[in-house]
Structure formats: C-alpha cells, structure tokens
C-alpha cells in the first residue's frame, strides 16, 4: 500500500492514529493550524503525488472550524496532484438540517455536501448519519458505515436476559430494528414530539413491552441528552429493569452530562467517532473504538473491494 496515505485534521487525531495503526502505515505529516486572525493554514510535508489520500476529520467541536479545516485540506491535496481524495467524516454535523421543514430555513446538510464536492473530494466515507437521505446530497460516491456491529458485539457479551431494544423515537425505529435483529431481541419504540427549535422534546408513551425486562435505548447521537432522558423516563415508568443507553456519536453539549448523571441509567455506551475529553466522561460511560471498522473500509476502498464485506 505504498500509494495509500492517511492524514488528519485536528478534530480527532487519536482516532486517525488508531486507524493507521490497524492499517500498519504511519499517519501522514501535515501542518494544520489557525493563525491569530482565525485564518486556517495547511501545509503537506511529504510527497503525495499520485497517492490515494484519505483525510480523517469528524465535524466535532469546534464544528465550523473542523469543517473549514477539511475543506482547506482537500484543496491542498488537490493542488498537490494526488490521484484521489476521500473525505473520511466519522461524524457528519448539521445532519438535522436535512430538509426545509419550516418557512425560510436552510438545508445546511446539503450546503456542506456541495462544499466538500466543490473543494475536490472524490469520495466520502462516513458513519451513522442522522438522516439517510444526506447520502443523496452528494454527486460523488458515499459509503456509510454503521457502529451496530461493535455495539451488538459489546452488548451480546453482557447476557442481559430478558431484554428489549428500544428506539429513542419513531425516526430511529428502522435502524433500531436492525440492531434488535443482530441481538435477537424484541423492539419497542418511544413516541415523542419535538418542541420548537431549542432541542426540547416530550415523550408521549411507548409501543412495545419493557416491563420486567432490561432495556437498551438506542439512538444515532446524544447531543443535549433531552430526547434520551425523556426515553429513559418513559421506559423507567413502564417498570423496566436495568436501563442501558447506546449511541454512535457522543456530542454531550449543554446540560447533557448533568441530565445523564441524574437519570436512572445503568451504562451509557458511545464510540470514539468524536473525541471525548475527560471532563465529558461519566463513571458509567463506555467508549467503543471504531478505528478497526474505518481501517477495514479504507483498505477495501483502496483495493477496489466491497465495503459491505465488513457487515456480513
């Protein structure tokens, strides 16, 4: 794999290093920093002419800076005459702005997709987008991985019997069903409605049975924790036993940590798609690594093999 190069912005360098360790190649050498006037500068410190380049950059905090770093890095590699640029985006922010559901609002997820394409990316590799239709916003190939394999592997070793997989809302029911099938467990769905644009939700009830059973509440991300805590409350009121919460992306913004600490949750499980600093960790929190999954996808894309092999 002499012509395979993996680089990283500043959003999640530990994940990029772990991916390179699985690929058995060094992380590419590039300077990516911000001047005092907030302008971002990128310099590639090695020859990449004709290389198959993968740039690892989740859109994590600070989100807008992470996006700009990726766009500028793509432009730098395009001007360095690489053979192909793949933007590896473990967490795609702005995923909730995927449609015009109110008057005079943007579709920011589409805008970012256009920016990535215009900058010069020829392929995108991501994981568990908030809305599946975002793939269609790109005019270039998009491979979307899922963390369900490692989530099912983790919870499969806990021997939680009997237990039910619970979708945090109706919109996540289809993906929750896929995880339930992997774990050979029944599915329940929390009914909720969103109140305005401030992240508040109201849980209305539950479809399915959790009484006397362990519950695994699943969602794609935990942001402020409002939706998740509402789901926990409903499941707890329906006399579930131990309650576990699982999501791919642990954003943990605003009052999330306080809400999760106060809720009757046995364990919170997220992945390292977003870096998790010490001040955002809770005693009952577990982080699963997606490095091996991304390394497998990068290797298959580079070799022209099927990425779906990873999920068989």
């Amino acid at each position: 794999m002499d012509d395979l190069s993996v680089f990283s912005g500043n959003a999640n360098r530990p994940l990029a290093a772990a991916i390179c360790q699985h690929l058995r190649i060094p992380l590419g050498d590039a300077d990516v920093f911000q001047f005092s006037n907030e302008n971002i500068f990128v310099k590639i410190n090695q020859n990449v002419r004709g290389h198959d380049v993968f740039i690892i950059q989740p859109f994590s905090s600070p989100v807008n800076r992470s996006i700009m770093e990726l766009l500028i890095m793509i432009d730098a590699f395009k001007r360095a005459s690489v053979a192909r640029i793949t933007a590896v985006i473990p967490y795609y922010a702005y995923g909730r702005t995927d449609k015009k559901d109110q008057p005079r609002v943007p579709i920011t997820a589409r805008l970012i997709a256009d920016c990535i394409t215009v900058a010069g990316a020829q392929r995108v590799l991501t994981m568990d987008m908030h809305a599946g239709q975002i793939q269609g916003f790109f005019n270039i190939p998009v491979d979307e991985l899922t963390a369900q394999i490692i989530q099912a592997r983790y919870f499969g070793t806990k021997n939680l019997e009997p237990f039910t997989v619970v979708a945090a809302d109706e919109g996540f029911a289809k993906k929750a069903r896929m995880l339930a099938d992997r774990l050979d467990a029944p599915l329940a769905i929390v009914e909720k409605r969103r109140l305005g644009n401030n992240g508040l939700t109201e849980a209305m009830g539950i479809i399915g049975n959790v009484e006397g059973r362990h519950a695994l509440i699943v969602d794609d991300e935990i942001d402020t924790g409002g939706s998740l805590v509402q789901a926990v409350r409903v499941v707890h009121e329906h006399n579930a036993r131990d309650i576990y919460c699982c999501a791919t992306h642990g954003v943990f913004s605003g009052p999330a940590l306080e809400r999760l600490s106060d809720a009757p949750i046995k364990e919170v499980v997220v992945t390292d798609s977003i870096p998790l600093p010490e001040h955002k960790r809770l005693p009952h929190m577990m982080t699963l690594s997606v490095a091996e999954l991304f390394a497998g996808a990068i290797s298959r894309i580079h070799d022209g093999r099927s990425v779906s092999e990873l999920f068989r």
Side-chain angles (χ1 to χ4, degrees):
M1 296 193 291
D2 292 339
D3 61 341
L4 170 63
S5 296
V6 175
F7 289 81
S8 175
N10 294 309
N12 197 345
R13 292 187 67 85
L15 175 60
I19 291 171
C20 287
Q21 187 173 5
H22 283 287
L23 290 170
R24 298 182 180 179
I25 62 173
L27 182 62
D29 183 13
D31 296 326
V32 184
F33 62 89
Q34 182 173 272
F35 289 116
S36 58
N37 63 359
E38 300 183 11
N39 289 190
I40 294 168
F41 179 77
V42 171
K43 184 177 186 299
I44 305 158
N45 296 320
Q46 64 188 72
N47 180 23
V48 290
R49 183 178 294 271
H51 282 213
D52 190 9
V53 171
F54 293 78
I55 308 171
I56 300 170
Q57 182 80 337
F59 295 158
S60 53
S61 180
V63 174
N64 298 323
R65 175 176 170 178
S66 295
I67 294 171
M68 283 303 301
E69 280 189 3
L70 175 63
L71 297 178
I72 296 171
M73 289 184 75
I74 291 172
D75 186 74
F77 282 104
K78 179 177 66 175
R79 298 176 189 280
S81 302
V82 302
R84 181 176 63 179
I85 302 171
T86 300
V88 182
I89 310 170
Y91 171 62
Y92 193 93
Y94 288 102
R96 291 194 178 104
T97 53
D98 61 307
K99 56 185 174 295
K100 193 171 183 291
D101 56 357
Q102 301 175 52
R104 300 175 296 281
V105 297
I107 305 179
T108 316
R110 171 60 191 265
L111 172 64
I112 294 172
D114 288 342
C115 290
I116 292 169
T117 305
V118 171
Q122 291 143 297
R123 194 177 195 100
V124 169
L125 175 61
T126 185
M127 184 172 65
D128 286 331
M129 287 180 164
H130 182 72
Q133 63 263 31
I134 296 175
Q135 290 188 33
F137 294 169
F138 290 89
N139 292 320
I140 56 177
V142 176
D143 292 297
E144 183 180 3
L145 307 179
T146 178
Q148 286 192 355
I149 285 182
I150 58 177
Q151 291 167 345
R153 187 185 305 152
Y154 177 76
F155 284 101
T157 63
K158 284 187 170 292
N159 299 316
L160 302 176
E161 292 293 342
F163 86 103
T164 299
V165 173
V166 181
D169 58 47
E170 300 96 318
F172 199 72
K174 184 176 180 180
K175 289 187 176 181
R177 163 58 67 192
M178 295 168 63
L179 180 60
D181 289 344
R182 289 182 183 274
L183 291 167
D184 193 24
L187 176 69
I189 304 170
V190 174
E191 296 180 281
K192 76 169 188 182
R193 61 180 178 181
R194 190 168 294 278
L195 308 175
N197 298 317
N198 55 8
L200 295 178
T201 59
E202 179 182 10
M204 309 294 291
I206 189 168
I207 303 169
N209 178 36
V210 295
E211 185 172 358
R213 304 174 65 89
H214 299 291
L216 171 58
I217 303 175
V218 294
D219 208 344
D220 61 322
E221 69 177 70
I222 304 174
D223 187 3
T224 62
S227 297
L228 191 68
V229 169
Q230 287 279 349
V232 169
R233 176 183 61 79
V234 170
V235 170
H236 185 68
E237 289 174 354
H238 282 74
N239 301 315
R241 291 167 66 181
D242 291 337
I243 300 174
Y244 296 81
C245 296
C246 175
T248 300
H249 312 296
V251 181
F252 301 130
S253 65
L257 296 178
E258 182 179 354
R259 287 172 171 174
L260 294 174
S261 296
D262 295 339
I265 300 172
K266 178 79 170 180
E267 187 176 36
V268 179
V269 179
V270 294
T271 77
D272 58 353
S273 65
I274 297 174
L276 198 60
E278 285 299 324
H279 71 274
K280 286 191 175 184
R281 296 180 185 271
L282 295 173
H284 63 310
M285 187 177 291
M286 169 62 70
T287 304
L288 306 178
S289 178
V290 295
E292 185 176 1
L293 189 61
F294 273 98
I298 289 171
S299 176
R300 285 165 172 77
I301 291 171
H302 177 68
D303 294 338
R305 292 184 286 140
S306 171
V307 175
S308 62
E309 292 175 353
L310 290 167
F311 306 107
R312 292 174 184 168

